[in-house]
Amino acid sequence: MLKRIQSALISVYHKDNLERIVQLLQQHNVQLYSTGGTQTFLEGLGAKVTSVESLTDYPSIFGGRVKTLHPKVFGGILHRRDEQGDLDQAQQYAIPAIDLVIVDLYPFEQTLASGAGEADVIEKIDIGGISLIRAAAKNFQDVAIVASQAQYTLLAEMLERNQGATTLAERKQLATHAFAVSSHYDTAIFEYFNNATHATTAFKKSIEGGRGLRYGENPHQNATFYGNLDELFEQLNGKELSFNNLVDTNDAVALIQDFQKCAYAIIKHTNACGMATADSPKEAYLKALAGDPISAFGGVIATNRPVDKAVAEELDKLFFEILVAPSYDADALEVLKSKKNRILLVQKQPLQYTKQFKNILNGILEQDADTYVEKASDLKVVTKRAPAQGEVEALMFANILVKHTKSNAIILAGRDQLFASGVGQTSRVDALKQAIEKAKNFGFDLKGAVMASDAFFPFPDCVEIAAQAGITAVIQPGGSVKDQASIDYCDSQNMAMVFTGYRHFKH
């Protein structure tokens, strides 16, 4: 059933793209109420507007903090048109019905992001606007609510389609969006106040904008990505990103941004199957590919350097799903775009999240993201022999890799190349054996290589196996009650071992 709009309250911070709605309301002789700058804007469009101040017989007070908070405004919105008692009271107190509310909110998040001081941030906590939104949305049976610019087009389509009226279903749709706006706004304010000094235990997160995916981790699972990928990436080529694409891309980008040198990473099922640094992109990619050219098929590749034609021609020989880079040379793009489904992404900014979440046991786990990258000064030499400079460089390289590898994890590497990894094993010994076998399968000589472990060795068995394979230096967190047994064995083999003091489990 259609309900014709006879009156509207418009009070907005952002006035762009409002003209079409005002024209439509004027065409249908809708009574307009407004305040301050919005009223001036509407009158500039030639609209006849009644000021809220004249309706309420109160001026805007307290520096604009109180403008619409009045029974004549909220009564006009909230009184029920099918309740005779409400209608009688509205007539008794000369409260006109308001059938449409168009309001947006002060830009709290934008002001906070700008680095403004607390006083400016607090002033951008909207009171009247949020109250209008909630009131109009609550009374969706009689009132239509537009709570953001994002709904202007939808409202205009409704007005055109229904000749200045709305249906109950449309009003409920608008109310749903309105409560999404108000809840997101309140969550942002809560997160601002919920800092380390005044923290509560409530879990509240809100992300606007969801992107439906073809399916989830498997075809029988539905999936949605919440966030703004367009802020992070520009897609130059290829098909739509899938759930698994997004997961692997995240891990590829997280790994590559921990390296300063020219680097290439190849990710398969969230683990690096190839990783290398070098003086040139082509050399770095070819060394990364050599780590496991079989697993690289269908993988996700990331680099921290522009893609030039020389490396593009090598990349083009491999079937891969995604390439992420800071930029692409024009002739490189010409080569890589030869495959229409190949996804090419320009990364516009680094990953910036500081928290991680996981849903388990009908609840949510939250933790700080593991963003720490050890420095050479963090290394504590615990063996008689200290690692040589080349070994230190290799250990630091391997330690970054092991941080980004599923536990239990072992990395075998040189100073600038991943030789092999043991990933996701139930014992550290199995992870090491897996890595050694894999390195041998791809022709790597482990004599002089280094080993990184994501956690301590509870027994000396891993350093014993590593020594037999030719490993000469080890990096691990330390902290086992039996650390000394591993140290003693390394000393007996003239191996160097360093402790970092940082465990890097990844599950």
Side-chain angles (χ1 to χ4, degrees):
M1 180 178 176
L2 290 173
K3 185 175 183 62
R4 192 170 78 83
I5 296 171
Q6 300 182 67
S7 58
L9 170 63
I10 306 176
S11 180
V12 294
Y13 187 88
H14 300 99
K15 301 169 182 66
D16 296 339
N17 304 317
L18 193 60
E19 292 90 342
R20 180 57 181 153
I21 291 174
V22 175
Q23 290 171 358
L24 289 166
L25 294 175
Q26 287 181 286
Q27 287 175 17
H28 295 286
N29 299 314
V30 175
Q31 169 69 57
L32 299 182
Y33 299 97
S34 191
T35 63
T38 305
Q39 180 179 349
T40 302
F41 175 79
L42 297 177
E43 290 173 340
L45 296 175
K48 182 179 179 181
V49 183
T50 299
S51 69
V52 169
E53 289 85 351
S54 65
L55 172 65
T56 62
D57 202 26
Y58 259 90
S60 173
I61 56 177
F62 307 129
R65 282 189 166 198
V66 178
K67 291 182 286 189
T68 58
L69 295 168
H70 192 280
K72 282 201 171 182
V73 175
F74 282 87
I77 295 168
L78 282 166
H79 81 267
R80 292 158 291 189
R81 278 60 160 180
D82 59 353
E83 290 281 340
Q84 190 59 47
D86 286 9
L87 294 174
D88 291 343
Q89 284 188 317
Q91 184 176 13
Q92 177 183 357
Y93 295 107
I95 297 175
I98 297 174
D99 305 317
L100 169 66
V101 174
I102 302 175
V103 62
D104 61 7
L105 300 171
Y106 291 161
F108 175 82
E109 289 179 283
Q110 295 90 328
T111 303
L112 181 61
S114 73
E118 183 176 87
D120 290 332
V121 171
I122 296 303
E123 283 305 308
K124 290 300 184 288
I125 297 177
D126 206 310
I127 304 301
I130 202 80
S131 302
L132 290 169
I133 288 171
R134 292 179 64 84
K138 176 178 179 176
N139 201 23
F140 68 88
Q141 294 281 353
D142 299 306
V143 180
I145 172 64
V146 173
S148 76
Q149 286 178 296
Q151 299 301 301
Y152 284 1
T153 299
L154 178 61
L155 176 63
E157 291 172 352
M158 290 177 182
L159 295 174
E160 289 175 338
R161 181 172 59 249
N162 301 327
Q163 296 297 303
T166 59
T167 68
L168 178 60
E170 289 170 343
R171 293 193 297 277
K172 196 166 186 178
Q173 177 186 3
L174 290 170
T176 301
H177 173 76
F179 282 122
V181 169
S182 65
S183 64
H184 177 81
Y185 194 79
D186 284 340
T187 298
I189 296 169
F190 166 77
E191 289 183 340
Y192 171 73
F193 281 95
N194 192 44
N195 53 43
T197 306
H198 304 98
T200 74
T201 57
F203 180 85
K204 297 179 186 293
K205 299 295 175 185
S206 178
I207 300 175
E208 290 187 307
R211 175 184 297 196
L213 305 176
R214 296 195 302 274
Y215 52 81
E217 198 163 7
N218 299 292
H220 64 279
Q221 296 171 269
N222 295 324
T224 304
F225 172 80
Y226 294 98
N228 190 344
L229 284 176
D230 293 334
E231 286 186 352
L232 187 61
F233 298 120
E234 178 185 0
Q235 184 167 346
L236 304 180
N237 192 67
K239 59 187 179 181
E240 182 183 349
L241 288 158
S242 71
F243 181 99
N244 293 326
N245 287 158
L246 292 170
V247 172
D248 281 346
T249 298
N250 177 78
D251 286 344
V253 169
L255 171 60
I256 208 71
Q257 74 182 29
D258 277 351
F259 286 90
Q260 302 303 313
K261 295 180 179 179
C262 174
Y264 264 80
I266 306 173
I267 301 295
K268 196 70 172 289
H269 294 293
T270 74
N271 293 299
C273 61
M275 177 73 217
T277 63
D279 291 334
S280 73
K282 178 179 176 180
E283 182 186 1
Y285 166 68
L286 290 176
K287 287 168 67 176
L289 180 64
D292 186 347
I294 295 175
S295 295
F297 182 87
V300 171
I301 303 174
T303 181
N304 56 6
R305 292 294 188 275
V307 176
D308 58 27
K309 185 177 181 181
V311 71
E313 289 175 338
E314 295 297 333
L315 285 160
D316 193 50
K317 298 174 184 177
L318 175 72
F319 169 73
F320 61 88
E321 289 276 347
I322 300 170
L323 175 61
V324 184
S327 64
Y328 298 79
D329 291 351
D331 50 1
L333 273 180
E334 187 176 348
V335 173
L336 294 170
K337 283 186 174 182
S338 62
K339 307 292 192 301
K340 68 176 184 178
N341 287 331
R342 178 182 283 160
I343 299 170
L344 304 176
L345 301 176
V346 174
Q347 185 177 352
K348 297 188 285 188
Q349 58 180 268
L351 297 179
Q352 296 175 341
Y353 54 77
T354 58
K355 297 289 185 180
Q356 291 177 316
F357 309 97
K358 183 178 291 188
N359 58 317
I360 65 166
L361 300 174
N362 296 332
I364 301 290
L365 275 177
E366 176 183 349
Q367 69 170 353
D368 296 336
D370 185 6
T371 58
Y372 189 74
V373 178
E374 285 83 348
K375 306 177 292 294
S377 58
D378 292 320
L379 305 186
K380 178 183 178 183
V381 179
V382 295
T383 49
K384 293 177 181 178
R385 183 176 77 82
Q389 181 57 36
E391 288 176 318
V392 170
E393 293 176 9
L395 291 169
M396 300 300 288
F397 175 89
N399 196 58
I400 293 175
L401 268 167
V402 85
K403 184 184 91 167
H404 292 275
T405 304
K406 288 294 179 71
S407 301
N408 284 308
I410 292 288
I411 294 292
L412 305 180
R415 64 193 300 175
D416 55 11
Q417 183 181 24
L418 169 63
F419 293 158
S421 58
V423 305
Q425 298 302 301
T426 53
S427 83
R428 205 156 298 282
V429 170
D430 285 344
L432 176 55
K433 289 180 177 178
Q434 180 190 60
I436 291 171
E437 182 66 23
K438 189 172 183 179
K440 290 179 179 178
N441 288 342
F442 291 109
F444 288 104
D445 184 356
L446 294 178
K447 292 180 180 178
V450 304
M451 174 174 70
S453 174
D454 61 337
F456 63 63
F457 299 121
F459 305 101
D461 44 11
C462 281
V463 291
E464 292 169 4
I465 296 169
Q468 293 168 12
I471 302 296
T472 59
V474 179
I475 186 169
Q476 57 136 321
S480 169
V481 295
K482 295 186 178 181
D483 275 344
Q484 194 59 48
S486 294
I487 295 170
D488 291 343
Y489 185 82
C490 287
D491 284 339
S492 72
Q493 302 298 312
N494 198 33
M495 295 171 68
M497 184 158 65
V498 298
F499 289 176
T500 65
Y502 289 89
R503 189 181 71 186
H504 290 294
F505 274 161
K506 184 183 179 188
H507 296 110

